[in-house]
Amino acid sequence: MKDSIGKLFIREGLISAAQLVQAKIKQKQSGIKLEDSLVSLGYLTTEQIKKFLHPIPPLPLRIIDTGLSEAFLSELSLKIAYQEAGTFTMQRIINKLCLTFNIIDELIELLKADQLIAIRSAASYGRETQVFELTQRGRERAEKAFGISLYAGAAPIPLKDYTRILTHQYVGQIEVDMDWIRKSLSHMVVGEKLLNQLGPAFSSGKAIFLYGPPGTGKSSFAEALGRALPDHIFIPQAIEVGGQVIRVYDPAIHFSVEEDTGEDMQLDITTNLKYDPRWKKCRRPVVMVGAEFTTDMLDLQLDSNSRFYEAPVQMKAANGVFILDDFGRQKMAPQEMLNRWIVPFERGTDFLSMHTGMKFEIPFDQVSIFCTNLRPMDLVDEAFLRRIRHKVMIPHATEAEFREILRRVCAMQGIDYKEDVTDYLLDKYYRKTGRALAGSHPRDIIDQIIDLSRFLKQPAKFTAATVDAAAANYFVEM
């Protein structure tokens, strides 16, 4: 993790390789963070490091600052105007393109000069009160633009700007310690041994293999740690590559931490915007896929109707966590699926292809977690397992852990927990049958009891009788 930060500092020309070596020596001697070592040696300032690791997309004030061409933005504006039945206000274009007043004002002048729009009405001489309409020429240009792509949303971010921000806010910079691990998993029952394994695995920022019997909580551990990631990142609503648009922001995955400013916010310099509004300030993403996963989901998805791209899952998980649940139960062979990951794991970059044949490179930055209840050696070979730094076995619960899980589930459901009933449950359905203590069983058994009580219109109770009724429906005896 620290090596990655050091290499980034070198690549950006902030320090030399020799200075990094000296900083690492001091780090080992003092037991401090690499960043603190660099500051103490006078190679960097605290402000430089903070600015570097927490980049803020700069606010564009002119068309040239957006990184997009005048032609691209003009066509995007015309498409938005066309969707407004050809009549629009400056404020509407500002809100849709997520650009500042100055830029839209510049665009309006260009569109007027090309006789693509005209002023329909105005309450005063101020631009903000004017109502515009498309000319016949403007309508024809908009229709032609729609023939190429139906995208008519926020102005996209150029690939180079996306790559720069993504690289600086990489997930490996996050500091996690035992206190963080304990707090993140406080709602779960976890043994000390497992905590001591999960902590280093997650703090590495590298790929993790979680394996073990069904019902032990592998997916729950992965998702809980991902959701607990601190800090926020910036995610573009869309990016532009070779004139093509790729939509990145997905409200089902990316949770914004911005305050809702409403549709009527005036996006001009007086609103005191702190960063480029084409980006969304979000929590670090967690993307989970399961048996439905295919390698096609790792490629750009071109919608034949809209004619713009949807970002693949690993791109949406960038700077966050990607969880492949039920690994080994997908339609394709595990080896075939994992071959797609080898280069990104080793190089830290991924290559995507467009329908035009154009290929481009993006940073591959995510904590990749593979969860399976199958034997790892039956799924992949030693060569691939070697590329996954941490392999963590999630075992069945101990009897003490099982009791604690059951007690917490009862408390959560408002049911009185009884130790003697737990003894009855353990003795009859586990010790005598040799059944393993799966951590998911207490929740499922209590759910069965609740289902029965709801049907009988009676209060849910944790008794030997309700346990027997739940077990009859839950456990399968062959």
Side-chain angles (χ1 to χ4, degrees), residues 76 79-80 83 96 146 149-154 308:
L76 194 53
K79 286 191 286 186
I80 292 171
Q83 288 181 333
K96 289 287 286 185
F146 273 126
S149 170
L150 296 184
Y151 182 80
F308 64 85

Side-chain angles (χ1 to χ4, degrees), residues 122-130:
S124 68
Y125 289 107
R127 178 85 78 193
E128 64 276 2
T129 68
Q130 295 175 343

Side-chain angles (χ1 to χ4, degrees), residues 210-263:
L210 299 183
Y211 66 100
T216 54
K218 297 176 290 296
S219 306
S220 298
F221 285 130
E223 188 170 13
L225 291 173
R227 299 292 180 200
L229 280 177
D231 205 4
H232 65 262
I233 60 171
F234 289 97
I235 296 171
Q237 297 186 57
I239 68 170
E240 179 268 336
V241 183
Q244 302 290 322
V245 176
I246 303 171
R247 187 168 59 188
V248 179
Y249 176 75
D250 186 340
I253 293 172
H254 302 123
F255 296 95
S256 174
V257 296
E258 300 169 319
E259 292 184 4
D260 185 10
T261 53
E263 279 292 305

Side-chain angles (χ1 to χ4, degrees), residues 292-306:
E292 78 282 2
F293 178 75
T294 65
T295 52
D296 290 343
M297 296 171 68
L298 299 175
D299 298 325
L300 289 169
Q301 303 297 314
L302 176 64
D303 188 296
S304 58
N305 295 318
S306 66

